Amino acid sequence: MRIQATHPTCESQCRRSMRSHGQAFNMTDEGITRSQPQAADMKRSRSSLTIVIKLGTSSIVDEKTHEPLLPVLTLIVDTANKLRKDGHRVVIVSSGAIGVGLRRMDVDKRPKHLAQLQALAAIGQCRLMSLWDSLFGHLAQPIAQILLTRNDIADRTRYLNAQNTFNQLLEMGVIPIVNENDTLAVSEIKFGDNDTLSAITAAMIHADMLFLMTDVDCLYDKNPRTHPEARPIEIVDDINALEADVSSAGSALGTGGMSTKIVAARLGTLAGVTTIITRSSNPGNILGIVRYLTCPRTPSSTSSESGDHPAEPLSQKRVSLNLLGASTHADDASAPPLHTRFLPSSDPIQDRYFWLLHTPNPHGTIYIDAGCHRALLDKAGLLPVGVVDVEGHFAQQEVVRLVVVERRASSPGPDGKRWEGIAQEVGRALVNYAAAEITRIMGHQSVEIGEILGYADSEYVAHRSHIGFFRKESRPVTPSRDFE
């Protein structure tokens, strides 16, 4: 049953607003539902990309005056709107709440005390979102605010809820504006920087492209500020072979730098996301790069074929690391704007395992022997007999580190360790038992669990589907540690 608007013009205005992004919706007593798309819409949706754009504080707020950089923000809004008109789905990860709060409260320098930072974030976030809403409102583009801490998505159910919210907003043609919830975040539940947050967001929504906007055009093999001969690094296929200058420490207002963007690029590419670094002061580069990578184009004159050919799918662009001279790039009229493009893994980590390895903070550590490790690699579950030691205080259904030890100790050492030799962290596991329970059943057969504990929730300490291993190119961004 359709609901009639109380004012004769209200329903038509609402429909015009909801169609402004190319989608048609019905208003029913069950809520807002999307109408059947037209053929053109269906064709466009098959070729559309999901694009995440990350903006640092220095891209949004002047470092000295703390005033919002309205010319840059206006260009970002215009670029995002054009991407939407091209049929793409857009998410913006926006820093700047504390910087805007500094201006509102007329504070000269970023404070060091957590409570002061949280208060400034609360003040600045309101004004920042008001600014975004005003700028996008001129283009009739709806936006939504999403504030996250790592704790919000450490729980698998809450992670999936966040994922569903993103998907619904994007289906409705809304541009989500994401930021870390600095008002509530403390060190234990912070992402650390919005570069990492943007990569985890891109992985969560299965984005195609992640743009990390910064104050340089791309990565260079040397610092271009001090080495005029520095050469741009335009395409990175193997991030482990990357030799670039990452000495930039970020702005006085922000928390990131070039090194955090490399970490974010590593995360993004592992999840199958093409990750791009380019200059924030020229947001139009985003549009040029997207169109270059997605639109049909003529092969270069060195090709043996002629005629127009569609661009390769992003996931199939496997190019060796290239160091190209800036002058060569500038002379090539067909080249995209200068940027560094990190090509996605040809075998991306599945969503569940990406969440397990890179989203929750581990609550403790389980030490296993080499035989147990081999069995896990062969897809077996983690049995108590393979557990050598337990460290930390964690509960059932919490994530812990998995550490392989060289050998078991014949008896606990002076420090209480039940293992000897080298220990190496190899992955993460979501456990079926708490630390105290695993300590009691470790080294025993599964059939003994009921007798030891008085109950047996599972024969496994962790099911194989709840165990993930780091790849050689994948290191944890959640806290790791050294094992002596």
Side-chain angles (χ1 to χ4, degrees):
M1 181 178 67
R2 299 173 66 85
I3 297 178
Q4 297 297 323
T6 56
H7 188 279
T9 62
C10 289
E11 184 176 3
S12 61
Q13 290 174 349
C14 181
R15 292 186 186 285
R16 283 198 300 272
S17 175
M18 290 188 289
R19 287 193 179 105
S20 64
H21 46 74
Q23 302 284 353
F25 289 81
N26 287 329
M27 297 176 60
T28 69
D29 50 4
E30 285 82 18
I32 300 175
T33 59
R34 189 169 57 175
S35 302
Q36 289 296 323
Q38 301 296 322
D41 291 335
M42 295 177 67
K43 180 178 180 181
R44 183 181 63 188
S45 66
R46 285 196 295 267
S47 61
S48 67
L49 301 176
T50 300
I51 299 169
V52 177
I53 302 170
K54 184 269 173 181
L55 300 166
T57 300
S58 61
S59 303
I60 294 174
V61 179
D62 185 274
E63 188 172 347
K64 294 181 179 179
T65 66
H66 306 155
E67 290 282 358
L69 299 173
L70 288 178
V72 175
L73 292 177
T74 301
L75 290 173
I76 286 286
V77 168
D78 182 63
T79 298
N81 190 60
K82 288 178 179 176
L83 289 171
R84 287 283 304 119
K85 288 184 176 180
D86 283 353
H88 304 306
R89 312 195 316 172
V90 180
V91 175
I92 294 176
V93 178
S94 168
S95 303
I98 293 176
V100 174
L102 289 171
R103 179 69 186 95
R104 178 66 181 86
M105 300 306 295
D106 199 22
V107 177
D108 292 332
K109 295 183 179 180
R110 180 187 174 103
K112 296 182 179 180
H113 293 95
L114 177 62
Q116 292 175 318
L117 290 171
Q118 290 175 324
L120 288 171
I123 296 166
Q125 185 64 31
C126 294
R127 295 178 68 85
L128 183 62
M129 282 305 300
S130 176
L131 181 59
W132 281 121
D133 191 50
S134 176
L135 292 172
F136 275 109
H138 288 297
L139 301 175
Q141 171 60 54
I143 64 170
Q145 174 181 253
I146 296 182
L147 298 177
L148 295 173
T149 65
R150 188 179 291 278
N151 206 39
D152 291 325
I153 55 177
D155 177 80
R156 180 65 178 169
T157 300
R158 295 170 72 181
Y159 175 89
L160 293 174
N161 286 339
Q163 189 178 64
N164 291 336
T165 299
F166 272 110
N167 288 335
Q168 186 60 54
L169 288 170
L170 293 172
E171 281 294 311
M172 295 172 66
V174 175
I175 294 181
I177 309 288
V178 185
N179 196 2
E180 182 159 17
N181 194 347
D182 292 316
T183 300
L184 299 179
V186 293
S187 59
E188 290 81 3
I189 60 173
K190 283 181 69 68
F191 291 98
D193 58 84
N194 273 4
D195 293 319
T196 301
L197 172 60
S198 67
I200 290 176
T201 299
M204 180 194 302
I205 64 175
H206 305 150
D208 299 285
M209 305 179 76
L210 166 62
F211 283 87
L212 302 173
M213 310 302 288
T214 185
D215 58 354
V216 294
D217 294 302
C218 61
L219 285 178
Y220 288 83
D221 60 343
K222 299 177 183 178
N223 189 334
R225 295 188 179 96
T226 56
H227 296 82
E229 75 281 6
R231 295 183 297 172
I233 301 172
E234 299 193 24
I235 300 177
V236 178
D237 183 37
D238 182 3
I239 200 167
N240 293 310
L242 177 64
E243 295 182 3
D245 183 272
V246 293
S247 57
S248 172
S251 70
L253 295 178
T255 58
M258 194 58 74
S259 60
T260 64
K261 289 172 177 57
I262 300 299
V263 172
R266 187 185 300 275
L267 281 176
T269 54
L270 283 171
V273 182
T274 298
T275 304
I276 293 168
I277 292 175
T278 192
R279 185 180 290 274
S280 60
S281 60
N282 189 4
N285 285 355
I286 298 173
L287 198 62
I289 294 167
V290 171
R291 288 176 175 174
Y292 174 82
L293 294 177
T294 58
C295 293
R297 57 184 182 271
T298 304
S300 64
S301 57
T302 59
S303 173
S304 60
E305 299 179 354
S306 61
D308 291 340
H309 295 267
E312 297 176 76
L314 294 176
S315 61
Q316 296 179 8
K317 289 180 176 293
R318 310 301 299 166
V319 185
S320 299
L321 184 149
N322 291 319
L323 296 177
L324 304 177
S327 59
T328 301
H329 185 283
D331 293 340
D332 185 358
S334 65
L338 189 59
H339 66 282
T340 295
R341 188 189 330 153
F342 296 83
L343 303 182
S345 170
S346 59
D347 182 25
I349 299 176
Q350 296 179 16
D351 181 73
R352 169 183 285 275
Y353 293 113
F354 185 93
W355 168 82
L356 180 63
L357 292 170
H358 298 294
T359 301
N361 283 333
H363 291 81
T365 304
I366 290 180
Y367 297 86
I368 60 176
D369 59 33
C372 177
H373 184 216
R374 287 192 296 270
L376 293 178
L377 292 176
D378 288 336
K379 306 301 182 182
L382 176 56
L383 298 171
V385 69
V387 177
V388 175
D389 206 351
V390 178
E391 183 177 88
H393 302 281
F394 52 86
Q396 185 183 35
Q397 296 301 307
E398 288 189 332
V399 174
V400 300
R401 303 177 188 89
L402 276 185
V403 176
V404 179
V405 300
E406 190 171 352
R407 58 185 175 273
R408 293 174 182 263
S410 56
S411 60
D415 55 0
K417 291 195 304 185
R418 296 179 171 87
W419 53 273
E420 298 173 339
I422 299 173
Q424 180 182 7
E425 182 179 2
V426 294
R428 300 284 162 84
L430 186 70
V431 293
N432 293 323
Y433 294 96
E437 296 168 319
I438 299 173
T439 300
R440 294 175 62 189
I441 64 176
M442 65 183 184
H444 291 274
Q445 299 293 328
S446 295
V447 294
E448 301 177 76
I449 294 176
E451 181 180 346
I452 296 171
L453 299 180
Y455 54 88
D457 291 338
S458 173
E459 64 179 308
Y460 297 107
V461 171
H463 290 287
R464 184 60 185 86
S465 61
H466 294 161
I467 298 172
F469 291 104
F470 297 118
R471 298 178 181 177
K472 290 182 179 180
E473 71 274 20
S474 168
R475 297 308 310 150
V477 295
T478 49
S480 186
R481 51 161 294 182
D482 295 326
F483 302 95
E484 299 178 352

